[in-house]
Structures are given as C-alpha cells and as structure tokens.
Amino acid sequence: TGRQRLGTALVAVAALTVGGGWHLSGSWTEALARYAVAAPASAALSAEAWRGGGWRSLPARRIDLDGDTEAAMTVQWAGTPEALAAALAPAGWSAPPPLGLASSGRLLSGSTAASDLPALPLLHDGGAPVLTLALPASADARLVLRAWPSGATLGEGCPILLAAVESETLRRPLGLLTLADAEDAPAASGPLAATLPGTTVAEGPAGPVLLAGACGPAGPGAT
C-alpha cells in the first residue's frame, strides 16, 4: 500500500542519514586527505591582469566527481578563506553546523530551521571547500557560499578563491523531514556585492562574476 511504501522510504532515508552522518563524523576528513586530487600548479597574476580579464581563465562552474558542471562560480576572491569569512561576518554570514552524526539527525525532523541545518560538503574538481558560510533569510530559506582554491594567486602569497553561492529553500515532506532545494544565487546583485571590499562586477560565461579582494589594489571600477 501507499502507506507501507512511504514507511519503507522513511526508514531508508533515516538509515542513510544516520549511517552517512556516522561516516562523515568518523572518517570523512581522513578520506578527503587520502584521496584528494593533487593541487594544480600555482599561476601568479597581477591584480591588473586578473581584473582586466585574467579571471576568465579560471573555472566558471563547479566540477563534480563525474566531471559534470554544476553551480556557477559567481565570486572570485583575492585573499585567504579567513579574510573572506571576516569580511562577511558583519553582514550575518557564519559557518553552518558541520555535517556529522549529531547534525545529520536534524534532517529527520520536520521543524529544523535553516540556520540549524548542516550544509552538504560538495566537491569541486575532487576537492572539498576551504570555506562554507550561510546567511539565513528566514526559517525556511538561506544563502550558502562555498569557496575552493583556484590554483592562481595575485603576485606571491595572495590566493584567488572561487566561490559558488546557492539559494536553499527548505521542504518538509509530511512534516517528518527537512530537505533543501538549491539553485544558483546571483552574487553580483545580492548582499555580497554591498559587503565585500574592492568589488568589481564582470560578465562571465555563466553570468555576472563578482571580483573582490582583501589584498592587491582594487583596480579601476571597484566600488
């Protein structure tokens, strides 16, 4: 019957959630380090070359493990992950709960708020994000930013990070689960553009790209 099928599905989801949470809390970090793809050789750009078009040489979309392109990389940040987190903190961005055995159980509740939901550890080109931040919009919606190293730097020692920003809207099937539907969020016209220092908006192949940074000159057209 329909009720039996629903019950079986809920049991399967619960088992996957708990089992996955246990795996992530116990061996996820070790597995990432063991199977991480070798970092690409670093390419140095001047701030002028980067803002003048060199940013186009960096990936426009996230690449998953199957080689498929996913969310657009709508932010390129010249600076460390710590500097990016510090720049966004005054606007309310903060790290979401890490995905583990305890937090994964929140997926099995129909009342989990967006601010309490862990963010999935999505990969880009085989690597985990070096920074994940969330900005709650309501109890049922939030923005999630994930940033990865690009392999390029401004001069020496100033890394360029690539970030994808997604808008997540929560679903609560039958009031028993909390799931998130994600779609690309336009960074250039959203709260990031008004928050990050030295911003310039450029038109990329996957849409507008926000260039910003805490190191190197801002360059012409920065706001």
Side-chain angles (χ1 to χ4, degrees):
T1 67
R3 179 170 298 182
Q4 290 174 325
R5 288 194 297 270
L6 176 60
T8 300
L10 291 176
V11 170
V13 170
L16 287 172
T17 301
V18 174
W22 175 82
H23 169 70
L24 288 170
S25 63
S27 58
W28 174 254
T29 301
E30 179 183 346
L32 279 178
R34 179 180 301 172
Y35 299 111
V37 176
S42 178
L45 299 171
S46 69
E48 293 76 12
W50 174 55
R51 290 184 182 271
W55 60 270
R56 293 180 180 274
S57 64
L58 303 179
R61 289 188 175 275
R62 182 175 71 85
I63 303 172
D64 68 13
L65 286 176
D66 293 328
D68 296 329
T69 55
E70 301 292 346
M73 298 292 200
T74 53
V75 179
Q76 293 191 16
W77 168 259
T80 63
E82 294 78 12
L84 178 54
L88 291 175
W93 292 82
S94 62
L99 184 58
L101 183 58
S103 62
S104 62
R106 298 171 189 171
L107 299 172
L108 302 178
S109 169
S111 59
T112 302
S115 59
D116 296 327
L117 198 68
L120 295 178
L122 303 181
L123 303 182
H124 165 57
D125 206 17
V130 293
L131 180 67
T132 301
L133 298 174
L135 178 66
S138 68
D140 295 323
R142 67 180 178 181
L143 294 176
V144 177
L145 176 148
R146 297 177 180 87
W148 296 267
S150 69
T153 64
L154 290 190
E156 295 183 2
C158 180
I160 299 175
L161 304 181
L162 302 176
V165 183
E166 293 184 318
S167 175
E168 292 188 347
T169 303
L170 303 191
R171 292 188 292 113
R172 308 179 191 278
L174 302 177
L176 301 176
L177 303 173
T178 297
L179 306 175
D181 293 329
E183 61 181 6
D184 285 2
S189 59
L192 285 171
T195 304
L196 293 177
T199 59
T200 303
V201 178
E203 190 61 37
V209 176
L210 184 64
L211 308 177
C215 55
T223 58

